[in-house]
Each structure stands twice: as structure tokens, then as C-alpha cells.
Amino acid sequence: MEKLNDRQAEAVKYIDTPLLVLAGAGSGKTSVITAKIVYLIKTCGIKARNIVAVTFTNKAAREMKQRVNQLVKGQASRGLTVSTFHNFGLNIIRKEYKALGYKPGFSIFDAQDAKALIRELMLHEVGAEDETVDHIQHAISSWKNEIVSPTLALEQAKQPEEITAARIYAHYDRTMKAYNAVDFDDLILQPVILFTQQLGMLEKWQQKVHYLLVDEYQDTNSAQYNLIKLLVGNRGKLTVVGDDDQSIYAWRGAKPENLAQLKADYPRLKVIKLEQNYRSTRRILKAANTLIANNPHVFDKALWSDLGLGDAIRVIRCRSDEAECERIATEILTHRLRNETRYKEYAVLYRGNFQARLLEMKLQQHQVPYHINGNISFFSRVEVKDIMAYLRLLVNPDDDNAFLRIINVPRREIGANTLEKLGNYANNRHISLYQACSELGIEESIAPNYIDKLRRFTHWMDKVSRLIKTESDPIGIIREMITDSGYENWLHQNSNTPSAAEKRMANVYFLIDSLQQTVERGLDIGDDPMSIEEAVGRLMLKDMLERQEEDNNKTDCVQLLTLHASKGLEYPHVLIMGMEEELLPHRTSIEDDHIEEERRLMYVGITRARKTLTLTMAGKRKQFGEMLETTPSRFLDELPQEDLVYSGFDENTTVEQKKMAGKVGLDALYKSLGC
């Protein structure tokens, strides 16, 4: 507590009514949440098992829990829930699956699984694979986030495309129930439905949750808001921490207006503002405050810092997008040489991933090491997930999610209707889908030709499973299984180019090589090789990817990432590229009149910087195969001009500025040569 400032300490100790902590960027909100959990346990006497803190990322949840465990030792911290919203929802579903109509071991569909199912359903509904699959998937997600049932969606639909989407939603909902499966949005929606329809269940969970804390509150959607409201009830034991100026996920359903809704739902709401920033210089904060003041606010705040005035903000205009990337590479090199910094102290932020391609080439040419944040991890690739599903089913035939992923990959002409009937039968019998294929009773529900296709698949998998257990080369059997499945031909049929198919197949071979290495490595204790079951289990560990990501972040590399991905991070030196109209702000946002969200995105980018901030733009940018003139971003005009130093703008670049830029470059060159 002694490390907190007055406002932070006030937020920690206030428990009388619902509390909104309006926490500006870099104001120490994580410290407040952590300290408050400790305060609730040690001073207020609330048991750890009755405290729930929710946030949006595993990293944030892990960090909070580690801090609490350092301060609250032993039994006192037992049972504390610090998790993401979706993990919390999943825990509720796991404990109350019977009340929700699920059987044990329900499957969780990720976005790719859900998309594949929607594509199958569209084949059935509209007779072809419609190119609007992504649109319909987004519509279903939006309906779930707004707690709109399939029936209500169909009632409200007016345009033909809306009616089609609502019909697919209804079919999707029925099929997911038959599959005993939930998707990502269901992890919040199903608990809300449970607590709304079964008051006894709500009372049970309200008795469990004596105090609720919510991080990044501005990112909540309607379903998440309702889950919070239901659990808190009339007791008002609630602290939410958020910043409306950092709400940049409207496209994912986030509603910054949920902050304002708190005042309506909780008339006794207390608001405490955290405005002292511990990250950035005064100039950087002044730029952020001046920019975001152009947005309307329910709650006003102004960040301030005692870290000094800091360097002026540089605005650099380059001839073209290629020249812009060249300039960024040389700027980083020059600054690093002059200031004896490390590459990992620099981050380049951009609006769209496509901007990184040319930048990568220039960084490579100048031998600047870099790491692109947000790249698809190896285990997230479709082909890797497909083969992992085969492996999972081999070691556990009751894995319904793995069964559903591969029963039609490659295509075996087993449609969604057949699988829905299979799912309903399995649910009624309380058995897995794989088991259901072998039962005589299924013959009353499914036509003989489709039963034959299902059983051919399960008999083949049974044979592979037996060979793995009895033959001396189980990895060879798995390689043979992949060949027999026709998966390589499937990749060629479903990839844009033969080269892309070959790269994807190379990922499959790499996965099997990794499995072989895991088997040969043996157990942690002893020299015996691992069984295939144990090796697959090792590969399935989720924290493998998290460790891999952490290792990547430890290397000395320039960080490249989108403005959206930069939220929650900070770097000593930040460069934001593409400061042009129709790029930042983005063309779509201009057309849809979403400038306020784009301004918040720019605000997030600015407040990532601790010491220096550089903004770049291209005078011409290649679009649709031709070089087009650009217009400087309106956000440049909204920054405090007295704190900006322009370069490359003829009317703004003075002779002195040009001389200074040249001198900086020469100094760096001399220093690198040891002169």
C-alpha cells in the first residue's frame, strides 16, 4: 500500500458502493487491482475463494495472480479466481453442464471449427459454398454477444441476406447442441442464459462471488456486461477498471458505452480517476491528451507525468512507401548508435499487417533483427490442427471435438445432417460420437449408406490404433495413416497454389518429426521411450506456445505490431507509420463514420511510447498496382503543433532542421567506425 499514490490507495480501500476506476494509460491499474484483492482478503476478511477477478488476456490474469500470491501466502490465497472472462464462463459451464443440457466432456469449437461447420450448413441451406461465410460467422457472433436468440434474429431479419444468416444461425445452434459443443461466444452466453432462466442457479453463484473485480472494462460486450450485472445483483460489491479512451475493439463487439451504463444501473457509483502516468514524458502525454480531447467524453480526465518534458515528437514525410520503410530502418540504426540502446527498445506500429511486408525487406537489407508480434503460431495452423485432431482421436476415441474436425477432412461425403443425427443419438445414450457409430441403434436414425461411411472411418482408425500399439515403428504407422487418408491431395485441392500446398504439407511433416523427437526423448525420469499417448499429450500442452512467445520476446529484436496488438504494451522508442488519410484513419472507418474509434486507436499508439515518438508517412503509396498521392492524416493537425518537429514537409522543414538531421547521421556513422 505504501507504494501507491493517493488516488490508487483510495481506489483500493473503497468498498462501500460499486466503484469505477477510470485508469488512464500507464497509470498503474494492475497494481490497484492486485492491491485491492490483497486488501479484501487481509483487511476485509473476505475469503479468497469468494473473490473473482476477470480480465481479457491470459497474460494479464497470470500476472495478477502471481502478484497476489507473492503478497498472500499459503491457505489464505486458496480458491482465488483470477482468469479471463471466457475461462470464468467455461468454469461455470463445466460445473453446471447438466442444467444447460450438455453431457460431460463437451467440445469447444474455435473460430476455424465454427467456420467449417457454417460452410457445411450453407451448402445445405443455399446449395453452394457461399463466399459470405465470414460475414455470417460475424453476424452469429454479434447476435450471441448481444444475447439475441436464433428465434429473435429470424423475427428481426428483413433483408434477404439477414434472413439467410438468421436461418443459418438457427441451424448452427441446433447442430452445436447435437454435437455437445460450444463455441467461444457461448462461453459467456450460456452462463447468462443459465442465470437468467434459472434463478436458483443464479443465487447459488451469487453466494459464491462475494466481490467481483473487472479489468479493461471498456472492452466488455453486452453479454459480458450482463454476466457481471447478474453475479453482482443488488449487493454492489463491484470494482471495474477501465479507460473509455482505449476502447478499440468495437469490431469485436466491445461497447465503451458500458462505462456510462454503470451510472444508470448503479446510481451510487463512485468514480475515482487515475491520471498520473508512470510511463511517458510530458510531451507524449500532452499529444495524447490534445488528440483524444476531440472525442466526446462521459468522464473527463487528463494524464500527467513527472518524468520530464522529453524530446519533441518527430513527424517525417517520405517520398513513397518504400522510402518510408527505408527511413524507419535507418532511423532505428542511427538512434541506436547514438544512444547505445538495444533493438528491443524500439517498436514500429502500423494500422494494417500489409504495411509490415515492405518494412521487413528494408530491415533485412540493413541487417536489423525484428520480431513480428501476432504471427500465426505453428500449432494454430489449420493443417497442424487437422493432424493433431487425428492424433488426439487415436489416443482418445471419446474426443468429440477431434472427431468432428476430421470426419470430413479429407471430404468423406458425411454432411452436417448426418452428424446432427449422430450427435443427438450420442447425447441420448451419453456416449461419444465415435462409440455411437458402432451401435446398432444408430441404424434407426441414419441411412445405411451414411452409416457405412461412418463405420469405414472408425474401423480404419481402430486398425491404425492397434498397429501403433503392436508394431515397432509407431511413427511410421502414423506417416502411413496420413498418406492413406489422402490429406496431401486435400491440401492441393484447398490451397491457392501448389507451392502453398507444399508449404502446408511441410508443416505436417515437421509436426510428425516433432512427435518422433518427443517419443525418442523419453520420460523425464528413466530412459524408456514415451508412448504415443504421452507424446501427443506433451504436444497438446497449451503453455508450450506461451513459453515460445515469451522466449521470442526476450531476444534483442525490433518489435513490429499493429496498433490493435500494441494495447497493454510499452516501449522506450515508438514509431507509428502510415500517418495518412484512408490508412490512419482507415478508409472503412471514414466511410462508416467511426472516426472516434480510429482516434482512440491513435491515442493507444501514442501512449505506448515512454521516451521518444516518431510519426512517419509516405507522399505516395502503391495501391492496386499504381502509385497514388496521399493526404496527411487529420490526426497530425489535432496534435499540439508546438511539440512537433516536421521533416520532409517542404513548407515546414527549415534549413536548420535539415542540417541537424544530416549532423545526426554523420555523428552516428563516425561513432560506428570508432572515430
Side-chain angles (χ1 to χ4, degrees):
M1 289 291 288
E2 64 271 10
K3 294 180 181 178
L4 303 179
N5 64 37
D6 291 345
R7 294 283 76 76
Q8 290 172 329
E10 182 184 6
V12 167
K13 294 177 180 178
Y14 188 86
I15 59 169
D16 296 338
T17 65
L19 171 66
L20 165 60
V21 181
L22 202 65
S27 61
K29 66 181 179 62
T30 304
S31 298
V32 168
I33 296 174
T34 304
K36 186 148 195 171
I37 293 171
V38 175
Y39 181 78
L40 291 170
I41 295 170
K42 287 189 170 182
T43 305
C44 303
I46 300 176
K47 300 290 185 186
R49 64 176 178 270
N50 299 126
I51 298 171
V52 173
V54 288
T55 185
F56 282 86
T57 67
N58 285 318
K59 181 181 176 183
R62 191 165 56 243
E63 182 184 343
M64 273 193 268
K65 190 146 194 177
Q66 286 171 349
R67 289 198 197 181
V68 172
N69 287 337
Q70 288 171 359
L71 297 168
V72 182
K73 305 292 184 182
Q75 292 291 325
S77 64
R78 288 284 297 274
L80 173 68
T81 297
V82 181
S83 73
T84 64
F85 263 105
H86 292 91
N87 271 331
F88 180 55
L90 176 60
N91 288 337
I92 295 173
I93 298 173
R94 278 180 173 152
K95 289 179 179 175
E96 313 298 353
Y97 65 88
K98 285 185 181 177
L100 282 163
Y102 295 102
K103 65 179 183 181
F106 58 87
S107 299
I108 303 171
F109 273 36
D110 65 13
Q112 292 173 355
D113 297 329
K115 187 175 182 178
L117 174 58
I118 291 168
R119 184 177 284 110
E120 285 287 330
L121 296 176
M122 289 185 71
L123 274 168
H124 180 265
E125 288 285 339
V126 298
E129 281 194 44
D130 198 305
E131 58 188 21
T132 60
V133 170
D134 288 336
H135 170 75
I136 289 180
Q137 185 173 17
H138 181 73
I140 291 172
S141 178
S142 297
W143 276 320
K144 289 191 174 191
N145 289 337
E146 291 296 322
I147 323 177
V148 175
S149 68
T151 303
L152 184 57
L154 201 52
E155 288 174 3
Q156 294 176 344
K158 294 180 174 57
Q159 301 301 321
E161 61 271 17
E162 292 175 345
I163 295 170
T164 299
R167 284 168 53 200
I168 298 293
Y169 179 23
H171 200 162
Y172 175 81
D173 188 60
R174 290 198 309 273
T175 306
M176 290 290 283
K177 291 275 173 56
Y179 286 1
N180 192 43
V182 295
D183 63 20
F184 198 62
D185 298 312
D186 281 325
L187 299 180
I188 306 298
L189 177 63
Q190 293 302 324
V192 170
I193 291 173
L194 175 70
F195 294 153
T196 303
Q197 296 179 351
Q198 302 188 38
L199 294 181
M201 282 291 176
L202 175 59
E203 290 175 7
K204 172 184 171 182
W205 278 85
Q206 284 180 338
Q207 288 170 9
K208 286 185 178 183
V209 182
H210 294 184
Y211 205 98
L212 183 62
L213 303 98
V214 185
D215 188 21
E216 303 287 7
Y217 191 75
Q218 75 283 347
D219 293 336
T220 55
N221 58 36
S222 294
Q224 289 158 342
Y225 184 90
N226 275 276
L227 180 60
I228 294 163
K229 190 177 173 184
L230 285 163
L231 286 170
V232 171
N234 297 322
R235 295 168 302 165
K237 299 300 182 183
L238 172 69
T239 291
V240 304
V241 182
D243 181 5
D244 50 350
D245 291 332
Q246 294 190 73
S247 181
I248 56 174
Y249 296 120
W251 51 278
R252 260 183 1 201
K255 300 178 77 172
E257 55 267 34
N258 283 347
L259 283 168
Q261 186 63 35
L262 281 168
K263 292 179 71 175
D265 288 339
Y266 301 103
R268 298 177 63 206
L269 180 73
K270 169 86 169 176
V271 179
I272 296 175
K273 300 177 185 179
L274 304 184
E275 296 172 297
Q276 182 175 359
N277 175 284
Y278 293 93
R279 174 188 301 160
S280 308
T281 64
R282 291 206 303 272
R283 267 205 174 107
I284 291 170
L285 295 181
K286 180 181 174 185
N289 289 334
T290 306
L291 173 81
I292 206 64
N294 290 279
N295 275 3
H297 288 84
V298 176
F299 305 102
D300 291 321
K301 70 176 185 307
L303 296 176
W304 61 274
S305 168
D306 58 9
L307 297 178
L309 182 61
D311 295 344
I313 296 166
R314 301 175 65 214
V315 183
I316 302 172
R317 181 182 184 274
C318 305
R319 294 187 317 278
S320 64
D321 47 354
E322 184 174 355
E324 179 188 30
C325 293
E326 175 78 23
R327 180 66 181 266
I328 289 171
T330 56
E331 282 286 327
I332 291 171
L333 277 172
T334 303
H335 191 274
R336 179 174 172 273
L337 288 167
R338 288 187 69 234
N339 295 278
E340 298 182 350
T341 54
R342 302 186 69 187
Y343 285 117
K344 68 179 181 180
E345 296 178 39
Y346 299 85
V348 184
L349 314 182
Y350 37 79
R351 181 62 176 82
N353 280 308
F354 73 92
Q355 292 171 266
R357 296 171 197 157
L358 190 54
L359 181 59
E360 279 191 85
M361 290 174 55
K362 295 299 181 183
L363 292 174
Q364 288 169 7
Q365 287 174 14
H366 288 277
Q367 297 182 320
V368 175
Y370 63 88
H371 171 67
I372 300 182
N373 286 306
N375 267 8
I376 288 184
S377 66
F378 178 74
F379 282 85
S380 294
R381 297 180 188 277
V382 173
E383 61 274 14
V384 175
K385 293 178 74 173
D386 287 343
I387 301 305
M388 280 298 297
Y390 272 98
L391 298 175
R392 285 162 48 197
L393 202 62
L394 282 173
V395 302
N396 177 19
D398 293 336
D399 189 332
D400 283 350
N401 201 14
F403 178 91
L404 289 168
R405 183 174 186 94
I406 59 169
I407 186 62
N408 238 359
V409 177
R411 194 176 293 280
R412 298 182 176 90
E413 298 181 352
I414 300 169
N417 277 343
T418 299
L419 293 174
E420 183 178 352
K421 291 172 184 175
L422 180 68
N424 286 329
Y425 177 85
N427 273 343
N428 291 333
R429 295 275 296 131
H430 300 289
I431 58 176
S432 69
L433 297 172
Y434 196 98
Q435 283 180 282
C437 293
S438 303
E439 293 212 343
L440 293 175
I442 193 64
E443 295 173 10
E444 297 178 10
S445 305
I446 298 175
N449 58 325
Y450 291 113
I451 289 177
D452 182 56
K453 290 172 183 176
L454 287 168
R455 287 177 178 169
R456 264 188 285 168
F457 172 75
T458 57
H459 291 163
W460 173 61
M461 291 293 286
D462 287 341
K463 177 185 174 184
V464 174
S465 181
R466 283 196 304 273
L467 289 172
I468 284 174
K469 292 172 183 173
T470 57
E471 295 293 321
S472 60
D473 182 16
I475 300 298
I477 301 297
I478 289 171
R479 292 185 195 276
E480 191 176 324
M481 174 193 73
I482 294 168
T483 301
D484 292 346
S485 73
Y487 190 77
E488 188 166 5
N489 288 335
W490 162 261
L491 284 182
H492 278 277
Q493 292 166 12
N494 291 274
S495 299
N496 294 329
T497 64
S499 175
E502 288 165 10
K503 287 179 181 176
R504 295 177 68 186
M505 198 63 203
N507 287 332
V508 172
Y509 293 139
F510 183 82
L511 173 66
I512 302 306
D513 288 343
S514 300
L515 181 66
Q516 183 163 9
Q517 291 168 12
T518 306
V519 169
E520 292 171 352
R521 196 174 296 132
L523 297 170
D524 292 335
I525 301 173
D527 297 323
D528 294 333
M530 283 188 191
S531 67
I532 291 294
E533 289 87 349
E534 290 167 329
V536 171
R538 290 290 179 99
L539 288 180
M540 287 170 60
L541 287 175
K542 292 181 180 178
D543 66 346
M544 177 190 296
L545 295 179
E546 293 178 358
R547 287 198 302 270
Q548 183 185 53
E549 183 180 335
E550 288 169 4
D551 289 343
N552 285 335
N553 290 336
K554 289 174 185 174
T555 57
D556 189 22
C557 296
V558 174
Q559 301 297 309
L560 312 183
L561 62 166
T562 64
L563 285 158
H564 281 101
S566 73
K567 187 165 172 289
L569 304 174
E570 61 180 78
Y571 304 93
H573 310 288
V574 169
L575 299 94
I576 303 178
M577 62 187 294
M579 292 297 302
E580 303 146 32
E581 285 292 297
E582 301 195 350
L583 189 50
L584 184 61
H586 195 273
R587 181 191 302 112
T588 304
S589 297
I590 295 172
E591 292 170 352
D592 296 342
D593 195 25
H594 291 159
I595 295 297
E596 290 175 12
E597 173 132 348
E598 290 290 296
R599 190 175 284 115
R600 291 196 291 267
L601 192 57
M602 180 67 187
Y603 173 86
V604 166
I606 292 172
T607 53
R608 298 313 93 196
R610 289 167 51 195
K611 297 179 180 178
T612 69
L613 176 64
T614 303
L615 312 175
T616 68
M617 66 164 292
K620 291 183 179 180
R621 186 172 294 276
K622 194 169 188 178
Q623 298 179 57
F624 315 112
E626 59 178 320
M627 294 298 291
L628 301 176
E629 295 279 349
T630 67
T631 302
S633 169
R634 70 188 70 188
F635 297 149
L636 291 174
D637 292 332
E638 296 177 1
L639 298 173
Q641 299 303 303
E642 64 274 16
D643 292 308
L644 307 184
V645 175
Y646 286 88
S647 174
F649 296 77
D650 293 339
E651 66 274 19
N652 294 82
T653 308
T654 66
V655 174
E656 289 76 13
Q657 287 172 343
K658 288 178 180 175
K659 284 181 179 178
M660 180 60 70
K663 184 177 183 301
V664 166
L666 285 171
D667 287 348
L669 181 60
Y670 286 140
K671 193 168 187 177
S672 69
L673 295 172
C675 300

